[in-house]
Amino acid sequence: MLALVVSMGLSCLYVGIVNLWRRFPRDHAETITKRAIGTLSFCCVSWIPTLFVSRYKGESCATLLGLKVHGIVKSTALPLGSVLIAYSGMLLFCLVEKHNPFSQAARWKRSVMLRNLVIAPITEEWVFRASMVPLFLAEGWSPPAIVLLCPLLFGISHVHHISELIKVHRWSTIRAVKEIAFQIAYTTLFGAFATSLFLSTSNIAPCMVVHTVCNAIGIPIHQMMPHTHHPKLWISLSVLGVVIFFLLTKKLLDPMLYI
């Protein structure tokens, strides 16, 4: 249970650091800068429990953290390709209907883009995957249990956004709760995939790359699809892409593929 306690501590500290700066809204440049410095600084120490594990087991700490160059191209390209398949229906829609698949990201300010596409993927994957998964493995937790638990910690860590939705954006409590519930479900699902990917590839790089792509594009169904002449077609193609992605995951997440 020590791995669970330490991981919960890491999760709480990460969220606590993010919430130290609440003078301005989360998209304010000063808030983003201070939170980036705080979370990146935390990443410098979050791996220390894994260092003790490596000393105890006599293994390379860098290897346990997923820091390796060998096979990095394959372990990154295959998951990235599968994620693009999940987005294939939406990407086809954007190509035909002349919409920007990165329309969400295109509206971001430079500081917001830096946070969402660089800082968040690096720090979150480092803390919630590289710094936590080795602890559970060392304690003998099964991969399915790790895939279930780590994403829950990752998903729940997004709950703190609810206060800003209510206080800053003036959302009703019900609307804010619905939004956060969706965020928790979506981030937990993504977290399960990222954790499985880390367990399969033993490499943190593909987790960070996939995280960046998912942050940039968003959910696999474009918001303009219901307003086209063929909404059912586009939504069906988007769902088909997601289904094919899930069908490929068994092969994609086979550790033998990355040896």
Side-chain angles (χ1 to χ4, degrees):
M1 293 298 289
L2 182 59
L4 177 58
V5 172
V6 173
S7 295
M8 289 177 66
L10 291 174
S11 179
C12 290
L13 285 171
Y14 184 91
V15 175
I17 289 171
V18 168
N19 280 283
L20 280 177
W21 294 279
R22 303 179 66 177
R23 180 181 176 188
F24 298 108
R26 66 187 296 265
D27 289 341
H28 192 281
E30 181 177 327
T31 303
I32 292 173
T33 300
K34 289 183 176 180
R35 287 181 173 181
I37 293 172
T39 53
L40 287 170
S41 299
F42 181 60
C43 285
C44 293
V45 298
S46 66
W47 61 277
I48 292 178
T50 301
L51 175 63
F52 286 108
V53 168
S54 69
R55 296 282 178 85
Y56 176 75
K57 297 186 68 175
E59 297 182 21
S60 165
C61 184
T63 300
L64 293 178
L65 291 167
L67 298 175
K68 63 178 187 178
V69 177
H70 176 71
I72 191 171
V73 174
K74 184 178 183 180
S75 63
T76 302
L78 291 179
L80 179 59
S82 71
V83 168
L84 292 177
I85 289 175
Y87 285 112
S88 60
M90 180 175 142
L91 294 174
L92 181 61
F93 164 79
C94 291
L95 178 66
V96 174
E97 298 287 343
K98 296 181 173 57
H99 287 289
N100 181 3
F102 302 99
S103 57
Q104 171 183 267
R107 294 193 297 269
W108 292 337
K109 296 182 298 182
R110 184 177 299 178
S111 56
V112 176
M113 188 174 296
L114 177 65
R115 178 196 65 197
N116 292 353
L117 303 185
V118 180
I119 302 300
I122 289 175
T123 60
E124 290 179 359
E125 293 307 315
W126 181 257
V127 173
F128 289 93
R129 246 64 69 183
S131 299
M132 291 186 187
V133 172
L135 305 182
F136 288 105
L137 287 174
E139 206 170 68
W141 289 61
S142 67
I146 299 172
V147 170
L148 177 65
L149 190 57
C150 281
L152 282 176
L153 295 173
F154 177 63
I156 293 172
S157 70
H158 292 76
V159 170
H160 67 277
H161 292 159
I162 193 169
S163 61
E164 181 165 335
L165 292 178
I166 295 173
K167 295 178 180 179
V168 178
H169 298 284
R170 303 296 181 183
W171 284 23
S172 68
T173 302
I174 294 177
R175 183 185 178 191
V177 168
K178 287 181 179 179
E179 175 66 20
I180 294 303
F182 174 78
Q183 283 189 20
I184 291 175
Y186 183 75
T187 53
T188 299
L189 186 62
F190 169 79
F193 175 65
T195 303
S196 299
L197 193 57
F198 183 74
L199 287 167
S200 300
T201 64
S202 299
N203 200 319
I204 195 61
C207 303
M208 293 178 176
V209 170
V210 168
H211 195 145
T212 296
V213 172
C214 291
N215 277 5
I217 303 179
I219 62 174
I221 298 180
H222 198 282
Q223 60 184 356
M224 294 303 296
M225 284 182 182
H227 307 290
T228 62
H229 294 296
H230 308 287
K232 292 182 179 179
L233 171 64
W234 293 122
I235 292 174
S236 297
L237 287 174
S238 295
V239 172
L240 178 62
V242 174
V243 170
I244 293 174
F245 163 76
F246 278 109
L247 291 176
L248 291 174
T249 53
K250 183 176 181 179
K251 179 63 178 177
L252 177 73
L253 298 176
D254 183 357
M256 298 300 294
L257 189 63
Y258 304 100
I259 294 178

